[in-house]
Amino acid sequence: MDKAHSSRSARSALEPRQGAQAIRRALSVLRILAAGREDGVPLAEVVQATGLTRPTVHRIVHVLIEEGIVERHDRTGRYAIGNQVPELALARPRPSPLLVAAGPSLRRASAEIGDTLFLTVRTGNDTLCVDRRIGAYPIQVLSIEVGARRPLGVSSAGVAILAALPAQDARKIVTANEKRFDAYRTDAATVLGQVTAARRRGFGMREIGLVQGTTSISTWIKTPDGRPAAAMTVSAVRTRLGPRREQEVAEILLREARSIEQAIRSSA
Amino acid sequence: MDKAHSSRSARSALEPRQGAQAIRRALSVLRILAAGREDGVPLAEVVQATGLTRPTVHRIVHVLIEEGIVERHDRTGRYAIGNQVPELALARPRPSPLLVAAGPSLRRASAEIGDTLFLTVRTGNDTLCVDRRIGAYPIQVLSIEVGARRPLGVSSAGVAILAALPAQDARKIVTANEKRFDAYRTDAATVLGQVTAARRRGFGMREIGLVQGTTSISTWIKTPDGRPAAAMTVSAVRTRLGPRREQEVAEILLREARSIEQAIRSSA
DNA sequence: GGGCTTTGTCCATATTGTGGACAAGAACGC
DNA sequence: GCGTTCTTGTCCACAATATGGACAAAGCCC
């Protein structure tokens, strides 16, 4: 084995470092729990989503409870993120630069479009909704809230982000998330199909949103290094987004996505 | 060994569960990093504060970096809480009941006293500042910000909380934090002395605040189960808090602390 | 009360994580 | 420039730690 120069250079990029299996496992458990938000997630689902064995998940979860990182809801038996997590988060007082950069664009687009607007970031293999703006139109799709977290691929935002990634990376993520797709009634093949379509079209779309009768359109937002870090999404009841308006909305989103990318570049 | 009924009953209270050393260690590292806020903490200080060996801390920290939980500032080489922590925290949307319950009291006390007011919670062996209100008086002590985290015992809020705990628990915490006191130029004996004084007096006080020339007064706030969970603190330049005014301010703080306790009880 | 699903526990085992010892940078002095 | 002292980073033999198969208990639904 060539141990000569395997260290320094290759290390930072390829994520090899070992000697902490348990810590990594605990974190993947936490990320699954985060997707369950206030209500939490039953143990069996964590087992399914992480691919770990039940005793292992059980042990991890209960240690995290003792440490205050996880809570168990007595009524339901579900496990959820505990209140020490926000406490740790207070150590980072500044709002993310993306949120700052996106502010004006979200305001403009929301006023112009009138339907609900979402800003979603990529975090690992998940999408995470970090901002939501309600529009002026009387029927709004409010199912997704700030903090909502889903496997990349199941929402139109996730599809858009996957579409903007190198095809190989996208495929790797979809494979990694495969086990979690069942819970959202989709599968790897469907997701990959939507990604290809989005790549061709230039923006992501789900004609059948996660909520019945809604449609979503998403554009990706890239950081200066060319990697998609977020997506901007409009969701509306299906009848509001016919072919004509779809094109119109997409153009606004594309324009504002470019404007956000510009704002990030000049803030860095 | 009596394994008969060692499980179920004793488990929840006495924190025994094992099989996750590495996870616990990673968490204690995280809590130290949280105390470093944006600037972070040098590796050596994490080693000192946690009592772990350097290779171990190094390994843990770097795995956490790969996972996005920790960041390393390239200029300084210091380690800090990473941006995935706030992302996980988004899973808990509700503000803590304490913050809600304390709102009106903080507003009243701040208006009445005119000096800077802090709400500090206990989290494990640390105090964590969760709210700050600036008063009307032109000289304000602003050194402590929301998110500031310190070992229980080094601030007047910490002393107040320790004073309200059973003496034995307080001593245990002080011992656990001993290694971290150097960094704040104090030691276990001094802290225990202040705790005793606070217990007699009915409120916590530091004549020489963490910042030169300031004085702080803190009252503890107990949850319905009788355990002190937080403290309310006034900080001012020393000359503002002579013996007469000290008594006056303490009375307001004591009154509002009871009022917060009442509010918690009725919200639960 | 019998089947079914989900959660919790035990313990022998080897895999994982440990930390002593060593190496490589960085910051200072002169 | 070249020691000196600091902090950070890496290696690897060893054993304590975390693992997961198998079993138990607790709910839930008919």
Side-chain angles (χ1 to χ4, degrees), chain A residues 6-17 24 122 169 172 227, chain B residues 62 65-67:
Chain A
S6 64
S7 28
R8 220 167 333 285
S9 37
R11 177 79 25 111
S12 57
L14 298 170
E15 300 240 349
R17 186 161 334 223
R24 280 193 215 278
R122 171 185 176 191
D169 296 8
K172 225 176 279 171
R227 301 183 66 77
Chain B
H62 278 233
I65 288 175
E66 283 175 10
E67 296 286 337

Side-chain angles (χ1 to χ4, degrees), chain A residues 15-20 22-24 26-27 30-31 34 37-38 58-60 62-64 66-67 69 71 81-93 121 123 128 130 147 149, chain B residues 15-20 22-24 26-27 30-31 34 37-38 58-60 62-64 66-67 69 71 81-93 121 123 128 130 147 149:
Chain A
E15 300 240 349
R17 186 161 334 223
Q18 52 135 262
I23 296 173
R24 280 193 215 278
L27 289 173
L30 272 185
R31 289 194 261 261
R37 317 215 53 213
E38 301 113 288
H58 183 266
R59 185 165 15 85
I60 288 172
H62 276 132
V63 169
L64 292 175
E66 283 175 10
E67 295 286 336
I69 301 295
E71 280 171 12
I81 294 289
N83 71 344
Q84 273 205 38
V85 174
E87 287 177 358
L88 288 170
L90 277 180
R92 302 192 106 235
V121 300
T123 174
L128 175 68
V130 294
R149 176 187 283 251
Chain B
E15 301 241 348
R17 185 158 336 221
Q18 52 135 262
I23 295 173
R24 280 194 216 277
L27 289 173
L30 272 184
R31 289 194 261 258
R37 317 213 55 212
E38 304 114 286
H58 184 265
R59 187 167 12 87
I60 288 173
H62 278 233
V63 170
L64 292 174
E66 283 175 10
E67 296 286 337
I69 301 293
E71 281 171 11
I81 295 289
N83 71 342
Q84 273 205 41
V85 174
E87 287 177 358
L88 288 170
L90 276 180
R92 300 193 108 235
V121 300
T123 174
L128 176 67
V130 296
R149 176 187 283 252

Side-chain angles (χ1 to χ4, degrees), chain B residues 201-218:
Chain B
R201 205 191 287 119
F203 55 90
M205 182 156 163
R206 272 194 74 125
E207 308 221 9
I208 302 157
L210 292 169
V211 187
Q212 275 290 355
T214 67
T215 297
S216 302
I217 299 180
S218 301

